């Protein structure tokens, strides 16, 4: 098929041009298991393939493009900025960086902000702060959760509670203790056994299939941190900035974290990570202790300021929650009819455990039907639609799943 010719067939295989596949195979290090789709453009809630076919995007770059692709407000802000100043250096002041820090602080714990370029770097900063803070007391361990994901650098891989990801790179950093989410006795044991510098957790374990950490457990962890002079840190790289129906997921549980890490959706698709550091830790790092060449640079900052404008629009969080409820209700028949075991959700972050290990096959069939989904395991599908998703788009995905997994035909007026 010739590239860039619109392909409007109702059901057809996705497309990768032979040249792109050959170049990628030969020259790109194979660290990703790619899906067979070559993307050339994004428009709001859709990605467009090299053959012109449109795909409803329920992956959003894993909760990066939360306001859809190429949102005009973000595009305009970046266009304007790149004509003025693309980069200077953190040797100099820029108004945008200071303003972005103020707005992130106002949205969260009133802290001060360190800017990096990714989720891993945001967590890396939090880990370094926790370590340095207890340095003169002889150090201390950091507690993280089993099945957590905190990044791919050596420190964040060490923090990540997944042995299988660590095995090839051992020895990992020896400061981390992993506790199962909800295992309060196990957590108390770690605090009893020795000095703890920090507790670090995702409020919802995203990469492990949207597993909600029990709020009571998080509240107890926060209490233990306060009692033991440790930092309470939440990794909101995936859950943050509206995804869970609040600026941050922790706000739905009335927590008060010392450090909040963010990235993914923060700059609307440009690389940015940030650690928002509250009063108990904001004097730990001084000049020369940490830094980043690109962190908080003018271009990504312009993008992030535009994203925060969108985030602060009236009624957004209510809409996220009601669309999330709609999504959850569409899954209920799957459970009733024995195709799914469990549905988990917070805001517009959702997953379904299927009763058979067909998640990867469903991802492929969804692509044939013009829908992009993500599998986090052989039997778990994850749903991360844009926060701006329309009710009809959610219905379309629900109809697809019902038809594929239970053989129920979809209602004629809902066919697209
Ligand atoms: C994606 C993710 C990270 C890592 O972010 P990168 O930008 O890929 O380094 C860390 N923590 C959580 C919870 C994530 O979802």
């Amino acid at each position: 098929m010739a590239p860039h010719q619109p392909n409007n067939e109702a059901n057809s295989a996705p497309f990768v041009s032979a040249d792109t596949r050959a170049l990628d195979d030969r020259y790109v290090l194979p660290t990703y298991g790619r899906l067979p789709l070559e993307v050339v453009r994004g428009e709001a809630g859709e990605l467009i393939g090299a053959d012109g076919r449109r795909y409803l995007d329920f992956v959003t770059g894993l909760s990066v493009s939360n306001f859809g692709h190429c949102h005009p407000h973000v595009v305009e802000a970046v266009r304007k900025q790149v004509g003025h100043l693309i980069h200077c250096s953190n040797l100099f002041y820029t108004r945008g960086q200071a303003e972005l820090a103020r707005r992130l602080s106002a949205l969260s714990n009133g802290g001060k902000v360190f800017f990096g370029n990714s989720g891993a770097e945001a967590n890396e900063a939090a880990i370094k702060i926790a370590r340095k803070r207890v340095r003169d007391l002889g150090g201390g361990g950091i507690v993280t959760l089993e099945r957590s994901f905190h990044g791919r650098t050596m420190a964040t891989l060490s923090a990540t509670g997944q042995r299988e990801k660590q095995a090839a790179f051992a020895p990992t950093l020896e400061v981390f203790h992993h506790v199962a989410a909800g295992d309060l006795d196990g957590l108390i044991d770690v605090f009893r056994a020795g000095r703890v510098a920090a507790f670090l957790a995702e409020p919802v374990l995203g990469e492990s299939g949207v597993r909600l950490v029990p709020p009571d457990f998080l509240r107890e962890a926060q209490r233990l941190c306060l009692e033991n002079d440790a930092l309470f840190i939440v990794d909101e790289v995936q859950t943050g900035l509206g995804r869970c129906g609040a600026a941050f997921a922790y706000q739905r549980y009335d927590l008060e974290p010392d450090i909040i890490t963010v990235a993914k959706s923060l700059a609307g698709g440009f690389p940015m990570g940030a650690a928002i550091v509250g009063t108990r830790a904001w004097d730990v790092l001084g000049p020369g202790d940490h830094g980043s060449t690109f962190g908080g640079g003018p271009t990504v900052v312009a993008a992030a300021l535009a994203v925060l404008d969108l985030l602060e629009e009236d009624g957004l969080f209510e809409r996220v929650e009601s669309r999330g409820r709609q999504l959850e209700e569409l899954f209920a028949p799957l459970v009733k009819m024995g195709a799914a075991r469990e549905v988990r959700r917070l805001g517009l972050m959702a997953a379904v455990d299927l009763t058979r290990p067909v998640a990867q096959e469903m991802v492929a069939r969804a692509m044939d039907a013009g829908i992009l989904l993500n599998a986090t395991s052989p039997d778990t599908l994850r749903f991360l639609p844009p926060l701006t998703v329309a009710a009809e788009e959610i219905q379309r995905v629900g109809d697809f799943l019902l038809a594929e997994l239970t053989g129920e035909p979809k209602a004629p007026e809902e066919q697209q």
Side-chain angles (χ1 to χ4, degrees):
M1 186 176 302
H4 305 295
Q5 292 301 306
N7 169 7
N8 296 318
E9 280 172 56
N11 246 293
S12 63
F15 173 77
V16 183
S17 66
D19 287 353
T20 300
R21 194 186 284 271
L23 281 171
D24 191 281
D25 283 354
R26 166 60 184 84
Y27 291 109
V28 179
L29 211 63
T31 60
Y32 305 101
R34 295 206 202 275
L35 295 166
L37 170 63
E38 181 178 353
V39 179
V40 293
R41 213 164 70 236
E43 278 179 24
E46 292 183 321
L47 284 177
I48 294 141
D51 62 354
R53 184 150 188 232
R54 309 182 79 91
Y55 293 85
L56 181 62
D57 186 4
F58 269 44
V59 179
T60 54
L62 299 175
S63 200
V64 167
S65 309
N66 278 3
F67 294 94
H69 298 280
C70 302
H71 192 290
H73 187 58
V74 177
V75 170
E76 193 45 42
V78 171
R79 217 192 278 287
K80 227 167 97 187
Q81 183 60 46
V82 294
H84 285 305
L85 178 69
I86 294 173
H87 175 78
C88 52
S89 163
N90 282 309
L91 288 169
F92 308 107
Y93 288 93
T94 58
R95 181 58 171 266
Q97 189 183 110
E99 179 61 15
L100 178 61
R102 182 191 69 76
R103 287 175 70 177
L104 286 171
S105 176
L107 278 173
S108 58
N109 64 355
K112 298 187 180 189
V113 182
F114 173 80
F115 290 104
N117 312 284
S118 65
E121 284 173 77
N123 287 329
E124 191 82 23
I127 291 164
K128 284 180 74 173
I129 289 168
R131 297 281 295 154
K132 180 158 187 274
R133 186 168 169 275
V134 297
R135 173 123 185 84
D136 295 338
L137 305 165
I142 297 175
V143 188
T144 63
L145 299 182
E146 285 171 13
R147 311 181 86 153
S148 60
F149 181 78
H150 297 295
R152 304 277 191 176
T153 63
M154 279 309 298
T156 57
L157 174 68
S158 307
T160 291
Q162 300 182 47
R163 293 257 171 276
E164 64 284 4
K165 282 197 166 71
Q166 298 172 340
F169 307 101
T172 48
L173 284 187
E174 279 168 15
V175 297
F176 294 97
H177 307 275
H178 300 108
V179 170
D183 178 10
L184 185 57
D185 290 340
L187 183 62
I188 290 169
D189 285 347
V190 176
F191 273 90
R192 285 216 184 104
R195 202 187 151 72
V196 171
F199 172 90
L200 161 66
E202 302 155 83
V204 180
L205 302 166
E207 294 309 294
S208 287
V210 188
R211 292 172 196 284
L212 278 64
V213 179
D216 284 347
F217 174 77
L218 290 173
R219 279 189 278 268
E220 281 301 303
Q222 177 173 284
R223 192 185 56 75
L224 284 164
C225 285
L226 274 172
E227 270 179 22
N228 293 278
D229 191 31
L231 296 178
F232 180 68
I233 306 171
V234 289
D235 176 346
E236 295 249 12
V237 168
Q238 191 164 149
T239 50
L241 301 168
R243 171 58 61 187
C244 293
F248 296 98
Y250 79 80
Q251 292 165 341
R252 298 199 54 166
Y253 301 151
D254 291 322
L255 300 166
E256 289 175 22
D258 296 303
I259 302 180
I260 300 129
T261 60
V262 275
K264 290 204 162 86
S265 69
L266 176 53
F270 289 87
M272 175 180 266
I276 311 167
V277 183
T279 50
R280 294 180 70 221
W282 73 17
D283 58 357
V284 171
L285 297 182
D289 280 333
H290 197 46
S292 165
T293 296
F294 292 117
T299 308
V300 286
V301 161
L305 286 168
V307 167
L308 292 192
D309 291 342
L310 300 174
L311 185 76
E312 287 162 11
E313 259 169 37
D314 281 347
L316 174 69
F317 300 150
E318 290 76 10
R319 225 169 39 244
V320 165
E321 185 52 33
S322 74
R323 292 276 182 270
R325 267 201 305 274
Q326 183 198 352
L327 188 61
E328 188 170 346
E329 281 160 20
L330 285 174
F331 296 151
L334 299 178
V335 176
K336 205 171 291 166
M337 297 177 79
R341 268 185 290 117
E342 188 178 85
V343 178
R344 296 178 295 272
R345 178 186 76 83
L346 192 64
L348 267 174
M349 186 169 179
V352 171
D353 286 346
L354 305 174
T355 45
R356 290 180 300 138
V358 293
Q360 217 40 269
E361 187 188 324
M362 291 304 296
V363 168
R365 292 164 86 91
M367 279 211 302
D368 290 349
I371 296 169
L372 303 180
L373 301 178
N374 169 251
T376 59
S377 76
D379 57 2
T380 304
L381 286 172
R382 172 173 49 173
F383 303 84
L384 296 165
L387 307 185
T388 48
V389 68
E392 308 78 65
E393 293 170 330
I394 289 179
Q395 184 69 44
R396 183 177 157 202
V397 171
D399 289 343
F400 165 80
L401 290 174
L402 202 63
E404 288 292 329
L405 287 166
T406 70
E408 286 281 295
K410 42 187 173 177
E413 75 272 14
E414 281 153 8
Q415 278 177 2
Q416 310 249 334

